[in-house]
Amino acid sequence: MELNVKIPVIVKQICLELNTRGHQAFVVGGALRDIILGRESPDYDIATDALPERIASIFADAIPYGNFGTMLLIRGNTKIEVTPFRDDAPGRKPHYTFGGTIYTDLARRDFTINSMAYDPITGQFIDPFGGLNDLKARTIRCTGSTKRVWEDPLRALRAARFQAQLGFAIEPSTMYSLKAYASMLDTISRERIRDELSKLITSDHPFDGLVTLVVTGLMNYIIPELMEGMGMRHFNKPADVLEHNLLACRYVKNSLHLRLAALLHDVGKPGCAVEGKKGLEFPGHHLKSVETAKHILKNLRFDSKTIKKVLLLIEHHMFVYSPDSPLSEARRLISRVGWQNIYDLIELRMADRLASGFNEAAGPGLKKLINDLEELKKENSDYKIKDLAVSGKELIETLGIRSGPIVGKLLNRLLEDVIENPELNSKRTLLELAEKYLKEELYEDRHYQ
Ligand code: ATP
Ligand code: MG
């Protein structure tokens, strides 16, 4: 079968180079899937019958990468992994062998939508498992047999993650195997679980992927503490405690720390539940949630910076602000959470409200807070560059840069920071920030050259 797929010229060139040396070369895996879907892909996988030493002799700059004979090529911002065809025997711990064909290579991949190959030089499209049909039907289905999940339980998480990223449905037998082998997730490292969970929640459809984790029982091996909220009714919200957490994750803006904060913001509720007049109440649940979330995030090996941000947001998510709150209340809130977190806290509150069944993300209290923050910024905006605790000369000397537009750019960014948060106006903090901004500027310059 032939198909017209738009492959970048640099990737084609690598395939052509392999062809002219007598080798086959196919674009395979996630990049092919994403291009057919019209999504951009920063990384490419090429499968070839050339062995690693041969690949290295053809491409002088090839870097050995990982344990499976992969050679990495970097062309501008694009990473291309060139890997010899695999010919693994099926089973739990496949013995990795070279010397297969494109067909054996595709047969060991996880899902049909990831098991297609395209030769960008001839246009030949190889699709032994019906991947294109499944792409059109927006279906995630195991390649070959659902034993694929038993062979490698990480594939169960990958299925839920692709569901969340692509908005696809999981085919019933595949879904069944996710549940059947859920307990095998115990054999997967916490770091790999963290990476899949992070991709799943920072996607366009986090709720769908999370529900799959819950109904298949996979969640018992990822964040069991969340499961305690299942079936625990709120007297004042349509969803139970677990679904409320999942919904908050769906509604909050897409960044990792916000999605984690939303997912875990009420995780401590089951530990605080008491029967009140109208139904269950959860006094002090924000603090219990902080304690539980800390344990969960450490266990999943999240970095300390992310953990700190998430816990701060959970701790303060019950802040009170009403249309009658005086400006001093906004000041107090800022002194507790800092300007650098206040807008994230507002995002979390809006998601919490939507997940509680409110139609409007911001109610009158929250709207007043947003206005009051603008007032506070005006109060602070008397600051001028000359009021900063560092001068342009000091930046030049300390950072070792030459005078020029970059100095003005850095000073202006520092000024914006100080207007938002006057506490930052100390020499040490501003120099640290300037150093960080300088790195970002240099990175961007390199990136767009
Ligand atoms: P993304 O890059 O967005 O994470 P992807 O599908 O490209 O998605 P990679 O981890 O980059 O995933 O893997 C590239 C390809 O390798 C996949 O498309 C799939 O064909 C195969 N693959 C990756 N992990 C597995 C696995 N655990 N079992 C079987 N095949 C896999
Ligand atoms: Mg990939």
Side-chain angles (χ1 to χ4, degrees):
M1 178 177 170
E2 286 193 19
L3 197 73
N4 189 17
V5 181
K6 284 207 177 72
I7 304 289
V9 176
I10 34 168
V11 179
K12 270 191 184 176
Q13 271 167 355
I14 293 169
C15 292
L16 193 59
E17 193 90 8
L18 284 159
N19 284 176
T20 50
R21 308 295 179 97
H23 293 289
Q24 297 177 334
F26 294 95
V27 176
V28 290
L32 181 55
R33 175 198 70 218
D34 288 343
I35 290 176
I36 298 176
L37 285 173
R39 295 161 72 101
E40 295 228 335
S41 179
D43 302 329
Y44 286 81
D45 291 312
I46 294 177
T48 176
D49 58 352
L51 298 181
E53 310 79 67
R54 178 77 175 141
I55 301 170
S57 77
I58 297 174
F59 303 101
D61 60 338
I63 309 162
Y65 186 69
N67 303 324
F68 301 109
T70 298
M71 289 292 185
L72 177 66
L73 298 175
I74 299 173
R75 300 283 185 271
N77 296 326
T78 310
K79 283 201 281 178
I80 303 123
E81 292 180 21
V82 185
T83 309
F85 293 148
R86 290 185 56 167
D87 187 18
D88 307 350
R92 279 293 303 285
K93 293 217 173 351
H95 179 65
Y96 172 56
T97 43
F98 291 134
T101 65
I102 187 63
Y103 291 95
T104 62
D105 185 277
L106 294 179
R108 60 152 286 278
R109 293 174 184 270
D110 48 5
F111 304 108
T112 60
I113 55 170
N114 293 340
S115 306
M116 304 177 284
Y118 180 70
D119 178 336
I121 309 302
T122 63
Q124 186 190 14
F125 180 62
I126 303 183
D127 181 19
F129 303 98
L132 190 59
N133 272 341
D134 282 340
L135 261 193
K136 287 183 186 153
R138 305 172 63 80
T139 300
I140 297 157
R141 182 195 312 272
C142 282
T143 295
S145 133
T146 54
K147 269 172 79 178
R148 313 314 315 273
V149 175
W150 170 78
E151 286 168 13
D152 175 3
L154 185 73
R155 291 173 185 156
L157 282 191
R158 284 174 55 88
R161 188 255 286 192
F162 287 127
Q163 177 185 29
Q165 286 180 327
L166 303 172
F168 283 19
I170 299 176
E171 172 276 327
S173 287
T174 302
M175 181 68 98
Y176 174 83
S177 70
L178 263 52
K179 186 168 174 65
Y181 309 118
S183 67
M184 288 175 61
L185 213 56
D186 263 355
T187 61
I188 301 292
S189 77
R190 303 309 286 172
E191 287 80 1
R192 295 183 82 187
I193 293 178
R194 171 201 61 205
D195 290 346
E196 285 301 324
L197 179 71
S198 300
K199 287 182 188 175
L200 187 156
I201 61 176
T202 54
S203 66
D204 286 349
H205 309 274
F207 184 76
D208 304 21
L210 286 167
V211 167
T212 293
L213 297 184
V214 167
V215 300
T216 55
L218 286 161
M219 190 59 99
N220 293 317
Y221 303 90
I222 308 173
I223 309 179
E225 296 85 348
L226 273 176
M227 297 300 292
E228 292 169 33
M230 194 176 213
M232 186 172 269
R233 307 289 319 160
H234 287 103
F235 74 87
N236 57 351
K237 303 186 201 307
D240 70 12
V241 171
L242 171 59
E243 194 185 6
H244 173 71
N245 278 319
L246 306 188
L247 284 171
C249 184
R250 167 201 207 156
Y251 288 126
V252 83
K253 213 171 78 178
N254 189 0
S255 74
L256 182 62
H257 69 282
L258 274 173
R259 290 265 159 109
L260 284 169
L263 180 65
L264 300 174
H265 79 288
D266 278 351
V267 72
K269 272 185 178 170
C272 303
V274 289
E275 200 64 56
K277 282 194 198 97
K278 297 186 207 155
L280 285 181
E281 290 171 6
F282 309 97
H285 74 268
H286 55 300
L287 295 179
K288 185 76 185 157
S289 295
V290 169
E291 187 191 318
T292 312
K294 187 174 180 183
H295 171 77
I296 292 166
L297 295 168
K298 281 193 163 179
N299 177 266
L300 285 168
R301 315 283 191 268
F302 278 97
D303 63 277
S304 54
K305 204 170 144 203
T306 304
I307 296 181
K308 209 168 143 196
K309 269 191 184 180
V310 172
L311 297 185
L312 181 125
L313 293 173
I314 297 178
E315 179 182 345
H316 295 282
H317 85 268
M318 294 297 288
F319 75 88
V320 178
Y321 212 88
S322 80
D324 319 316
S325 293
L327 204 56
S328 57
E329 196 56 40
R331 259 189 223 108
R332 244 194 305 278
L333 191 56
I334 294 294
S335 72
R336 284 201 294 266
V337 305
W339 276 99
Q340 66 279 27
N341 298 307
I342 187 70
Y343 288 103
D344 281 349
L345 192 62
I346 291 172
E347 292 289 342
L348 178 59
R349 170 59 63 84
M350 293 200 287
D352 195 358
R353 282 175 50 89
L354 293 173
S356 301
F358 288 99
N359 291 326
E360 255 192 333
L366 214 47
K367 283 184 184 150
K368 170 80 163 43
L369 171 60
I370 293 166
N371 277 333
D372 285 355
L373 292 177
E374 291 307 309
E375 288 301 313
L376 284 185
K377 277 192 218 163
K378 274 188 216 145
E379 268 182 18
N380 294 336
S381 68
D382 297 343
Y383 278 99
K384 302 273 179 308
I385 284 190
K386 69 174 175 43
D387 301 318
L388 291 177
V390 287
S391 65
K393 193 163 161 262
E394 281 168 315
L395 286 186
I396 292 170
E397 282 165 8
T398 318
L399 302 178
I401 49 177
R402 284 199 213 134
S403 66
I406 183 73
V407 181
K409 224 169 162 181
L410 289 173
L411 286 171
N412 272 318
R413 276 191 81 171
L414 296 177
L415 181 63
E416 278 173 28
D417 289 340
V418 169
I419 288 173
E420 284 224 323
N421 181 5
E423 282 169 27
L424 297 178
N425 199 12
S426 78
K427 189 170 292 198
R428 200 167 138 221
T429 311
L430 293 187
L431 283 175
E432 273 170 20
L433 282 170
E435 197 166 0
K436 188 175 124 211
Y437 296 151
L438 181 66
K439 275 193 198 133
E440 284 171 15
E441 294 281 341
L442 295 177
Y443 177 75
E444 275 179 19
D445 278 354
R446 229 178 306 140
H447 220 61
Y448 294 113
Q449 256 168 18

